[in-house]
Each structure stands twice: as C-alpha cells, then as structure tokens.
Amino acid sequence: MISLASLRERVGGDVDPPSVLVISNRHVGSEVVTTLDRDANACLVTDHDGVAGQTPDDTRVVVGDGRERAVLRDGGAETTDIALVSMQTDRSAFLVTQLLRTQFDVETVVVVLNDPQHRSAFESVASEVVCSSQILATELERAVETTLQTPETA
C-alpha cells in the first residue's frame, strides 16, 4: 500500500498534501485513486465508465482519453507531483508516459507494465516500472502457500 509518508518523501517532503494523477482504463486505477485520495489530492483520468463509476463521489474523476493532452491537462498534469499510469496496453501506457514527461514535465511517473519483456523500453521514460504479471504471480504464490500451510478443518 502506498503511504502518505512515502508520497511526501518522493516529492521532497515539502508538499502537503501531494497531488497524484492516476491515468488508467483498468479497475486497478479506481482502487488506487480511492486509497490515495485519503491522504493526497488524487485525480483519476479514465475513458472507462465502469472504472470511473467505482470511485467514491468525492473523488475527482476526469472522463476522457488519457492519451490526449487536453484530457491530461484537465486532470491536473501541469501541477501534479506524481503520476501513476496503468493502461490495458503497454503501447498506451508508453504514450501517456511520454506525454507526461515531455509535455507536462512530470518528474515522477510510475508505470504499471503488462508484459515484462517491455521493461527496458519503459525504464528510459518512467521513474518507476512495476510489472503487474510479476506482482500477480507473487500474490498467487503467497495465497497458495498460505492455503497449503492452513490445517484442514472438517
């Protein structure tokens, strides 16, 4: 889980509260922005109505294509401290990341990658690269281990 302390550390500690822009057309986007919105000024940019509808009413949501400059601007890309990008395709995530870096000078961009073979391409444009398949594999392994260690009850 991302904590307020780690967000403050990431943006230099002097921003209170930090602003976080989440660009996602996946359900993980609504989950992350809901968690972050408790301790940060968080905004979700999505073109997926189902993702937008899963956020609390008081969470800022911009519905539109996050691959477009105007939509990113509406979401606050010009002033955000941190951006998190999680798209259905790595190609879209790469485009959004490039826009955030080159058009809005966002210093910290965390990208959720789908295919671990694309990691090297993203490391040149993103601050942090997180591979969703590796995280999922780790969680599934942990769940299986926990299940195997739990004594059966009859």
Side-chain angles (χ1 to χ4, degrees):
M1 177 136 96
I2 299 172
S3 69
L4 181 58
S6 65
L7 284 175
R8 284 193 180 128
E9 180 180 310
R10 187 68 167 180
V11 296
D14 57 353
V15 178
D16 192 31
S19 65
V20 181
L21 179 61
V22 178
I23 304 97
S24 181
N25 54 10
R26 304 172 71 181
H27 292 285
V28 69
S30 59
E31 291 291 327
V32 169
V33 80
T34 298
T35 301
L36 291 175
D37 203 34
R38 295 180 198 135
D39 296 317
N41 289 327
C43 176
L44 172 65
V45 171
T46 186
D47 63 355
H48 190 287
D49 290 334
V51 172
Q54 287 186 331
T55 59
D57 290 340
D58 60 342
T59 299
R60 184 161 176 253
V61 178
V62 174
V63 178
D65 189 341
R67 297 171 296 182
E68 296 179 7
R69 277 185 70 190
V71 173
L72 292 173
R73 185 178 298 110
D74 290 347
E78 292 174 321
T79 59
T80 195
D81 297 308
I82 299 173
L84 178 116
V85 180
S86 177
M87 304 295 283
Q88 290 180 354
T89 67
D90 289 343
R91 182 179 301 231
S92 291
F94 192 81
L95 175 60
V96 171
T97 301
Q98 284 185 315
L99 283 170
L100 290 166
R101 293 292 227 167
T102 62
Q103 301 297 310
F104 298 102
D105 295 321
V106 178
E107 186 175 327
T108 304
V109 180
V110 179
V111 177
V112 179
L113 189 62
N114 296 304
D115 184 344
Q117 293 181 350
H118 296 153
R119 180 179 286 278
S120 62
F122 279 86
E123 287 176 341
S124 66
V125 294
S127 306
E128 296 282 336
V129 179
V130 177
C131 184
S132 61
S133 60
Q134 291 172 335
I135 290 171
L136 181 58
T138 301
E139 272 302 300
L140 290 171
E141 180 181 321
R142 186 191 60 75
V144 169
E145 286 176 358
T146 301
T147 302
L148 292 174
Q149 293 173 0
T150 304
E152 289 186 30
T153 56

